[in-house]
Amino acid sequence: MGVKDRKKREKEQRRHQILDAARDLFMHKGYFDVRMDDIATGAEVAIGTLYLYFHNKDEIYATLCEEGLDILNRLIEDAIREEGSFQECLEAIGRSYLGFYMEYGSYYDVLSFVGMGFKQVGLSEELEKKITQKSDAAISKLEFVVKQGMEAGEIAEGDSKEVAFFLWGLLEGLIFIHRRGYMDAWAVDLARTSAVGMEAIYRGISR
Amino acid sequence: MGVKDRKKREKEQRRHQILDAARDLFMHKGYFDVRMDDIATGAEVAIGTLYLYFHNKDEIYATLCEEGLDILNRLIEDAIREEGSFQECLEAIGRSYLGFYMEYGSYYDVLSFVGMGFKQVGLSEELEKKITQKSDAAISKLEFVVKQGMEAGEIAEGDSKEVAFFLWGLLEGLIFIHRRGYMDAWAVDLARTSAVGMEAIYRGISR
Amino acid sequence: MGVKDRKKREKEQRRHQILDAARDLFMHKGYFDVRMDDIATGAEVAIGTLYLYFHNKDEIYATLCEEGLDILNRLIEDAIREEGSFQECLEAIGRSYLGFYMEYGSYYDVLSFVGMGFKQVGLSEELEKKITQKSDAAISKLEFVVKQGMEAGEIAEGDSKEVAFFLWGLLEGLIFIHRRGYMDAWAVDLARTSAVGMEAIYRGISR
Amino acid sequence: MGVKDRKKREKEQRRHQILDAARDLFMHKGYFDVRMDDIATGAEVAIGTLYLYFHNKDEIYATLCEEGLDILNRLIEDAIREEGSFQECLEAIGRSYLGFYMEYGSYYDVLSFVGMGFKQVGLSEELEKKITQKSDAAISKLEFVVKQGMEAGEIAEGDSKEVAFFLWGLLEGLIFIHRRGYMDAWAVDLARTSAVGMEAIYRGISR
DNA sequence: GATGAATGAGATTTCATTCAT
DNA sequence: CATGAATGAAATCTCATTCAT
C-alpha cells in the first residue's frame, strides 16, 4: 500500500524533474538547440528514461505548452473573479498577464515559439486544438469584461471584440518587445509602460 | 569594360536570385526546415555557388533581416516626412507598420524569428548589433515624433520614451496576434482594430 | 513437503508459460522482431522474471530449438521402429518429417533460422554443438535405414551416405519451397508431391 | 563530353563498390548484423555517401536480391537453351543451379533470407513482387522442360508441375543442407550427391 | 522469488560545408 | 567562376539487461 503510493509519487517526481529540465532548456536555447541528451543530463536521468515518460521530444514540448496555458488561464480567471469596476478589472488582467510573463517566462517562450507559425515543431493536431481552445477561452473572458463595461456605461459603446483585441495586443506587444531586450536597452520599465498604456487606452474609451 | 560591367551585373543578379529563393523558403517553411539544397534549387544554381556569395546559411538569413529592416525604416521615415499634426503622423506610422507586415510579410516572419530572443539561429554578434541598431533607429524616430507632439502641446507631457513604446507595442502586438491567426478566427479586421486602438490611445493622451 | 512440490511444479509451469509465449512470438515475428517485453507480456510475467529462468534471449531461443529437434528425432525414431520393408520405412520417415513441419511449424521456423548459416542470432557454441549432434542423430538413423535396404537387397548398392543425403534433401527442399509459399501459389500439394517424389527416387534406386 | 562520361563511369563504379561491400557483409554476417558503418568502411566511402546512392539499408539489400535472381534466371535459361535430350537438359539445369550457389553464394544467402518468411526486412512490395515474378519464371522454365520430356515420351506421363517441384526441391534441399555445413561434416560431396540424386529421380520417372 | 523502472550503448539517417574538377 | 559528389558529426530513438525493492 504505502509502497505503491511511494512508487507513484516517485514517478510523478521524476516526470517533474524531466519537465523542469526541459522547460529550462527550451527557454534558454530554443526548441531546436535542445538535445534529448541535454534534457536527460539536466534531469539527471538516462536518455532512455525520457522515453519511458514521453513518447518523443515533441511530446515533452507539448506538455510544457499545455501547462503554460493552464497557468495563464487560471491567472486571468482569478483576475476577473475579483469584483470591481471595469477599470479595476482591466488593471488586474494586465497585472496577471505581465505576472505570467515575469514569473513563468519559460512557459511564455515555449508558447511563443509554437505561435510563431513555424511548423517544424511537429505538434500533434490534438495539441494545436488544445492551444487554440485555451487561447480562445482567454479572449472570451476579456471580451466578456469589455462587454460588461459597456453595458455598465463605464466605457463607450463599440465593438467589444475589437476593444478586447487591442487591449490584448498592447499587452502582448509590450511583452514581445521586452522579450527582445529593447526595454532594457532603452531603460524603459515594462510594468510602468504597461500601466500607463492601459490607462491611456482606458481614458480613450471611457465615457 | 562592357564585359566587366556585364559580369558585375550578372553577379548582382545571381545574388538576388539566391536571396529571393531564400526569402521565399524561409517565409514558408521557417529557418530550420530550409535546406541549402532547397535554396540552391530555388535559385537555380549549384549548392557550391551559394558559398561563393555567402559565407554560410546564417549569412543568407542575416542579409534578409537587414533588407527587411531597411525597408521598414524607409517606410517609417516616409510616414514621418509628410508633415502634419501628431495625430496625422501617428496614423501614417501605423499604416506604414501594418503595410510593411502586409506587403513584406516574408521579411516580417524572418525578423520575428530573430526577435524570439532564442539563440538558436546562431547568428553572429555582428548581425545582432546591426539589427539592434536599425531597430533603435525606428524607435528613435517614433520617440522624436512623440516628443514633438508634446512640445507642440498636442498631447500631454510625459515620458516620451514610454509613450513611444506603448504605441509600438500596440502595433507589434496586433500584428503578432494576427500572425497567429486569431483575428481571422474571430473575424476581427487588423487594419480597423489597429486604427481604432491607435485612436483610443491618442484620445487618452491628447490634451 | 507438499509445499516444496507445489513450488517446484509452479516453477516448471512458469518456465513453460515463458517458452510457449516465446515460441508463438518467434514463429510469427521472427527472432529479431520479438522483444523481451513481448515475451514477458505473453507469458504474463514481469520482464525480470524471464532472467530468473533463462540467462538471456538467446537461451530462450536455444531451448526452443532443442525442444524442436527432440520432437523431430522422436518422430523419426517412431517411423523407423515400425518394422517393414525399406520402402515402407522410407514412406514412414517422409510422413514423419512432413508431419513435424505441419504440426510443429513454429519449431520448424525457429530451427530454419538457426540453419540459415548466418551468425547473426549470436547463439552460443554450446547450442550449436547440441543442434549439430541432434541433427546428426537424425541423419544417422536415415543412413542406417538405407544401409539395411542395401544389405537386404531391396535397393542397389551404393554410397549409403549419399543416398541418405539426397532423400533428406528432397524432403527439406520441398518444405523449404512450401514455406516460401510457392506451392500454394502454383496449386501444388506438398504431401502428394513429396510422396510422388520419394517414390520416384525409390524406383530409381531399387533393384 | 569526355568529362561527363567519366563522371558517369565513376558513379557506376562507386555504386558497385558499395554493392560489393554490402554483398560480402550480408553474406558473412547476415542482414541484421551488418551496420551501415560496416558497408561504408568496406566500400571505402563515408556513411553519407551510401545515402547518396541508396535510400536506405533495405534498398541496398533489395538491389542485391534482384541482381541475384537475374543471374540465376540467366543461368537457367542458358542451360535450357542448349538443345539435347530431357536427361541432358536436366543435368544442365542442375549444374547451373549448383553453379549459381557455388559461384554466387553470397547472392544465395541474401535471397534465402528474404524467402524465409521473416518479414523484418522491410522490403517494398515492389521488390517482393519482382522476386516472386522472377522465381516464377524459373519454375515455368523447369516445368516446360518436364512437359517436353513427357511429350517426347522420354519420361512417364504425369503432373508436370509436381515433377518440376520435386526436381527443384531436391536441388534446393541439397544446397540448403550443404549451406548448413552438414555435407562437409559428413564428408559428402554436393555436386556428386546432386548428380546421383537427379539421376535416381530420372531413372524413377523415365519410361 | 518476483518485479519493472532505469540504464546507455549503439543503430540509422540528415544536411551544412568542402574541394577537386 | 561554377559545380555537385563526398564528407562525417550529430541527432533521435530502441531495447536487452540489471538491480533495488
Side-chain angles (χ1 to χ4, degrees):
Chain A
M1 309 92 253
V3 174
K4 247 187 193 165
D5 280 6
R6 201 206 45 211
K7 288 251 176 179
K8 203 174 161 185
R9 222 169 36 240
E10 280 174 359
K11 267 196 85 164
E12 204 56 43
Q13 216 172 2
R14 187 94 68 201
R15 210 182 128 90
H16 272 301
Q17 275 171 40
I18 294 171
L19 286 174
D20 289 345
R23 196 183 317 110
D24 199 52
L25 284 160
F26 282 140
M27 166 167 83
H28 288 299
K29 324 213 303 184
Y31 182 82
F32 285 102
D33 260 10
V34 172
R35 319 277 153 240
M36 291 303 267
D37 259 338
D38 300 336
I39 300 178
T41 305
E44 294 182 309
V45 295
I47 265 220
T49 307
L50 299 183
Y51 289 87
L52 231 51
Y53 288 84
F54 300 93
H55 256 88
N56 50 36
K57 191 179 167 185
D58 284 343
E59 201 178 290
I60 297 180
Y61 192 81
T63 306
L64 290 174
C65 286
E66 266 199 87
E67 275 187 18
L69 279 171
D70 285 340
I71 293 175
L72 178 59
N73 263 306
R74 205 161 350 105
L75 285 174
I76 293 182
E77 262 169 49
D78 289 351
I80 292 175
R81 194 168 304 123
E82 298 164 18
E83 318 190 8
S85 65
F86 169 77
Q87 186 176 17
E88 281 163 1
C89 200
L90 197 64
E91 271 169 22
I93 290 174
R95 273 196 310 270
S96 286
Y97 214 90
L98 255 61
F100 173 70
Y101 168 58
M102 301 304 281
E103 282 185 57
Y104 303 90
S106 48
Y107 284 117
Y108 180 83
D109 281 341
V110 167
L111 280 167
S112 293
F113 196 57
V114 172
M116 285 306 293
F118 296 99
K119 299 291 184 210
Q120 314 89 317
V121 186
L123 298 176
S124 64
E125 296 209 11
E126 192 196 4
L127 174 76
E128 220 172 316
K129 213 175 283 177
K130 262 188 192 159
I131 289 184
T132 309
Q133 233 171 46
K134 290 182 173 171
S135 302
D136 281 353
I139 304 175
S140 286
K141 282 165 203 151
L142 187 57
E143 197 212 339
F144 178 71
V145 169
V146 171
K147 215 175 241 165
Q148 275 193 320
M150 287 178 178
E151 282 166 6
E154 195 176 340
I155 55 174
E157 292 286 333
D159 185 333
S160 59
K161 274 192 296 184
E162 246 169 47
V163 176
F165 266 84
F166 66 67
L167 284 167
W168 180 24
L170 179 63
L171 290 167
E172 194 74 46
L174 288 175
I175 290 172
F176 188 60
I177 289 168
H178 181 264
R179 189 73 200 74
R180 291 201 202 180
Y182 291 117
M183 292 210 179
D184 291 342
W186 285 70
V188 167
D189 182 65
L190 172 59
R192 246 189 73 90
T193 310
S194 164
V196 176
M198 292 290 271
E199 210 202 304
I201 290 187
Y202 175 71
R203 261 205 310 276
I205 60 177
S206 68
R207 274 189 193 273
Chain B
M1 304 94 256
V3 174
K4 249 189 195 164
D5 280 5
R6 200 204 53 211
K7 288 256 177 176
K8 202 176 164 185
R9 221 169 39 242
E10 278 175 0
K11 269 198 78 167
E12 202 55 43
Q13 217 172 1
R14 187 98 69 196
R15 210 181 127 89
H16 271 299
Q17 276 170 37
I18 293 171
L19 287 173
D20 288 346
R23 195 184 317 110
D24 200 50
L25 284 161
F26 282 138
M27 166 168 80
H28 287 300
K29 323 213 302 181
Y31 183 80
F32 283 104
D33 261 9
V34 172
R35 319 275 156 246
M36 291 301 268
D37 261 336
D38 298 336
I39 300 177
T41 305
E44 296 181 310
V45 294
I47 215 178
T49 307
L50 298 182
Y51 289 85
L52 290 175
Y53 289 85
F54 300 93
H55 252 90
N56 51 35
K57 190 180 170 184
D58 285 341
E59 201 179 289
I60 297 181
Y61 190 80
T63 305
L64 290 174
C65 287
E66 268 198 87
E67 275 186 20
L69 280 170
D70 286 341
I71 293 174
L72 179 60
N73 264 308
R74 206 162 346 107
L75 285 175
I76 294 182
E77 262 170 47
D78 290 350
I80 292 175
R81 191 167 307 122
E82 297 165 19
E83 318 191 5
S85 67
F86 169 77
Q87 186 176 17
E88 281 163 1
C89 199
L90 197 64
E91 271 170 22
I93 290 174
R95 271 195 311 270
S96 286
Y97 214 90
L98 255 62
F100 173 70
Y101 169 59
M102 301 304 280
E103 283 185 57
Y104 302 91
S106 49
Y107 284 117
Y108 181 83
D109 282 340
V110 166
L111 280 166
S112 293
F113 196 54
V114 172
M116 289 298 293
F118 295 172
K119 300 289 183 221
Q120 74 273 60
V121 186
L123 297 173
S124 66
E125 295 211 11
E126 190 197 5
L127 173 77
E128 215 172 322
K129 212 173 284 177
K130 262 188 193 160
I131 289 183
T132 309
Q133 234 171 44
K134 289 184 172 171
S135 302
D136 282 354
I139 304 175
S140 285
K141 281 164 205 153
L142 187 57
E143 198 212 339
F144 178 72
V145 169
V146 171
K147 214 174 241 166
Q148 275 193 321
M150 287 177 176
E151 282 166 8
E154 196 176 340
I155 55 174
E157 293 286 333
D159 186 333
S160 59
K161 275 193 294 183
E162 244 168 49
V163 176
F165 266 85
F166 66 67
L167 285 168
W168 181 25
L170 179 63
L171 290 168
E172 193 74 44
L174 288 174
I175 289 172
F176 187 61
I177 290 167
H178 181 264
R179 185 73 197 70
R180 290 201 201 182
Y182 289 118
M183 293 211 177
D184 290 342
W186 285 70
V188 168
D189 183 64
L190 173 58
R192 245 189 75 91
T193 308
S194 163
V196 176
M198 293 290 271
E199 211 202 303
I201 290 187
Y202 175 72
R203 261 205 311 274
I205 59 176
S206 66
R207 276 188 192 273
Chain C
M1 304 104 249
V3 174
K4 249 188 196 164
D5 280 6
R6 201 204 51 210
K7 288 256 177 176
K8 202 175 164 187
R9 224 171 35 242
E10 280 175 359
K11 269 197 78 168
E12 203 54 44
Q13 217 172 3
R14 189 99 69 195
R15 212 181 126 90
H16 272 299
Q17 276 171 36
I18 293 171
L19 286 173
D20 288 345
R23 195 183 317 109
D24 200 51
L25 285 161
F26 282 138
M27 166 168 79
H28 288 299
K29 324 213 298 182
Y31 183 81
F32 283 103
D33 260 9
V34 173
R35 319 274 155 248
M36 291 302 267
D37 261 336
D38 299 336
I39 300 177
T41 305
E44 294 181 310
V45 296
I47 216 178
T49 307
L50 298 183
Y51 288 85
L52 290 175
Y53 289 84
F54 300 93
H55 252 89
N56 52 34
K57 190 179 170 184
D58 285 342
E59 201 179 289
I60 298 180
Y61 191 81
T63 306
L64 290 173
C65 287
E66 268 198 88
E67 275 187 19
L69 281 171
D70 286 341
I71 293 175
L72 179 60
N73 264 308
R74 207 165 343 109
L75 285 175
I76 293 181
E77 262 168 48
D78 290 350
I80 293 175
R81 191 168 306 124
E82 298 166 18
E83 318 192 7
S85 67
F86 169 76
Q87 185 176 18
E88 281 163 1
C89 198
L90 196 64
E91 271 169 20
I93 289 174
R95 272 196 311 271
S96 286
Y97 213 90
L98 255 61
F100 173 70
Y101 168 57
M102 301 304 279
E103 283 185 57
Y104 303 91
S106 49
Y107 285 117
Y108 181 83
D109 281 341
V110 166
L111 281 166
S112 293
F113 195 55
V114 172
M116 289 297 293
F118 296 172
K119 300 289 182 220
Q120 74 274 58
V121 186
L123 298 173
S124 65
E125 295 210 13
E126 190 197 5
L127 173 76
E128 216 172 323
K129 215 172 282 175
K130 262 189 193 159
I131 288 183
T132 310
Q133 235 170 44
K134 291 184 171 170
S135 301
D136 281 354
I139 304 175
S140 285
K141 281 164 205 151
L142 187 57
E143 199 212 339
F144 177 72
V145 169
V146 172
K147 216 175 240 164
Q148 275 193 320
M150 287 177 176
E151 284 167 6
E154 195 177 341
I155 54 173
E157 292 286 335
D159 185 332
S160 59
K161 275 192 294 183
E162 244 169 49
V163 176
F165 266 84
F166 65 67
L167 284 168
W168 180 25
L170 179 64
L171 290 168
E172 194 73 46
L174 288 175
I175 290 171
F176 188 61
I177 289 168
H178 182 264
R179 186 73 197 73
R180 290 201 201 182
Y182 290 117
M183 294 213 178
D184 290 342
W186 284 71
V188 167
D189 182 65
L190 172 59
R192 246 188 75 90
T193 309
S194 163
V196 176
M198 293 290 271
E199 211 203 304
I201 289 188
Y202 174 72
R203 261 206 310 275
I205 60 177
S206 68
R207 274 190 194 272
Chain D
M1 305 99 253
V3 174
K4 246 188 193 164
D5 279 6
R6 200 205 47 210
K7 289 251 175 178
K8 203 174 162 184
R9 223 170 35 241
E10 279 174 0
K11 267 195 85 163
E12 204 55 43
Q13 217 172 1
R14 186 94 68 201
R15 210 181 128 90
H16 272 301
Q17 276 172 41
I18 294 171
L19 286 174
D20 288 346
R23 196 184 316 109
D24 199 52
L25 285 161
F26 282 139
M27 166 168 84
H28 287 299
K29 324 214 303 182
Y31 182 82
F32 285 103
D33 259 9
V34 172
R35 318 278 152 240
M36 292 303 267
D37 257 338
D38 300 337
I39 300 179
T41 305
E44 295 182 308
V45 295
I47 264 221
T49 307
L50 299 183
Y51 289 87
L52 232 51
Y53 287 84
F54 300 93
H55 256 88
N56 51 35
K57 191 178 167 185
D58 284 343
E59 202 178 292
I60 297 181
Y61 192 81
T63 306
L64 290 174
C65 287
E66 266 198 89
E67 275 186 18
L69 280 171
D70 285 340
I71 293 175
L72 178 60
N73 263 307
R74 207 162 347 106
L75 287 174
I76 294 182
E77 262 170 48
D78 289 351
I80 293 175
R81 193 168 304 122
E82 298 165 17
E83 315 192 10
S85 66
F86 169 76
Q87 186 175 16
E88 281 163 2
C89 199
L90 197 63
E91 272 169 21
I93 288 175
R95 271 196 311 271
S96 285
Y97 214 90
L98 255 62
F100 173 70
Y101 168 59
M102 301 305 281
E103 283 185 57
Y104 302 91
S106 48
Y107 284 118
Y108 180 83
D109 282 340
V110 166
L111 280 167
S112 293
F113 195 58
V114 172
M116 284 307 292
F118 296 99
K119 299 291 183 207
Q120 314 90 314
V121 186
L123 298 178
S124 64
E125 296 210 11
E126 192 196 5
L127 174 76
E128 219 172 317
K129 212 174 283 176
K130 263 188 193 160
I131 288 184
T132 309
Q133 233 171 45
K134 290 181 173 172
S135 302
D136 281 354
I139 304 175
S140 285
K141 282 165 203 153
L142 188 56
E143 197 212 339
F144 178 72
V145 169
V146 172
K147 214 176 240 163
Q148 276 193 321
M150 287 178 178
E151 283 166 7
E154 195 176 341
I155 55 174
E157 293 286 334
D159 186 332
S160 58
K161 273 193 296 184
E162 246 169 48
V163 176
F165 265 85
F166 65 68
L167 285 167
W168 180 26
L170 178 64
L171 290 167
E172 193 73 45
L174 287 175
I175 289 172
F176 188 60
I177 289 167
H178 181 265
R179 189 71 199 75
R180 291 204 203 179
Y182 290 117
M183 294 211 178
D184 291 342
W186 285 70
V188 167
D189 183 64
L190 173 59
R192 248 189 72 90
T193 310
S194 164
V196 176
M198 293 290 270
E199 211 202 305
I201 290 187
Y202 175 70
R203 261 204 310 275
I205 59 176
S206 67
R207 275 188 193 274

